Amino acid sequence: MKNVAFIGLGVMGYPMAGHLQNNGYNVTVYNRTTAKAQQWTEQYGGNFASTPKSASEQADIVFVCVGNDDDVRQVVLGNDGVLAGLQQGAILVDHTTASAELARELSAAAKQQGIEFIDAPVSGGQAGAENGQLTVMCGGEKQVFEQAQPVMASFAKFSQLMGPVGNGQIAKMANQICIAGVVQGLSEALNFAQRAGLDAETLVETISKGAAGSWQMENRYKTMYAGEYEFGFAVDWMRKDLSIAFAEAQKHNAQLPMTKMVDGFYQQVQDMGGNRWDTSSLIALLKDK
Ligand code: NAP
């Protein structure tokens, strides 16, 4: 697992690929906008390729981190895609947050060529990617996961095999369902406390130590009070993730009433022009009222 390819140098992929290169792997990157790939090699060393196929030709393991299901299909399948370049015995790891169906589709396509596949969406946001502290939820076979895990440790503090292919994505859906509810609850509490005249610092210092505490509370309350929403995971991405979760939930007859409501609030944030605001911007809807 010495030669690595990384496809997609966005907010997440750029620093993740950087950690791999810094950890001694020979990394070849591909990015649709070539200037970013050039910038990456200037910063970290390594090489960049002009197609996902050529990036993957020498790779033992390829990581993908792009936008949605169709974006993954574009860079993996097709004439210039990863699977056209990869050698038999290599491993393909998809870090994109996508559907479980896509994971199964890619796994089947990879298997036909003797290539192993793991779906591996991440949690931890931009800061987690930059600090190499991501959590990775994986779906696939145990012995493949065990080969990939030490490589992923370059940018992950924890990775877990959740079961067969697709289960990594389903775990990520559960993660996003949790976040939707927590952020709405926190928004309502902070807005309520502010209107009732409580001091924010004292409030959070106190209740964060008890059962109401959360990552969102500790890391976002100050910026939520200040109306600053430029800190990571965009509302557009969240709505993409929730729509994937709704489709999966329907298959299992799992009810998501609160998540549906919060998704509607995120739509209102988009209507305010907050597409690229981070997910804590739910509080903006309450401030306006
Ligand atoms: P981003 O900053 O928007 O970057 C997306 C990357 O994918 C860019 O490199 C983009 O290339 C590339 N890309 C998109 N569509 C493509 C296509 N059709 N063909 C080729 N390349 C394509 O996104 P991100 O924030 O890094 O997120 C990436 C994935 O991780 C998403 O699935 C997201 O839901 C998930 N995620 C994000 C976070 C977060 O906090 N940001 C946290 C957890 C999970 P260009 O440079 O050419 O546009």
Side-chain angles (χ1 to χ4, degrees), residues 8-13 30-33 36 65-68 70-71 74-75 95-97 122-123 125-126 172 232-233 237 240-241 276:
L9 301 175
V11 166
M12 302 299 282
Y30 164 81
N31 196 64
R32 180 178 57 184
T33 308
K36 235 192 268 178
C65 190
V66 291
N68 59 26
D70 284 342
D71 299 326
Q74 276 178 26
V75 298
H95 287 305
T96 312
T97 304
V122 299
S123 162
Q126 182 173 355
K172 175 73 183 182
F233 192 62
W237 279 147
K240 179 251 313 180
D241 293 0
R276 293 298 291 186

Side-chain angles (χ1 to χ4, degrees), residues 21 29 52 83 87 95 118-119 161 165 183 187 193 224 231 237 253 269:
Q21 182 70 23
V29 295
L83 287 183
Q87 318 251 356
H95 287 305
I118 298 179
D119 53 304
L161 185 63
V165 165
V183 176
S187 299
M224 286 168 80
F231 301 94
W237 279 147
N253 195 25
V269 173

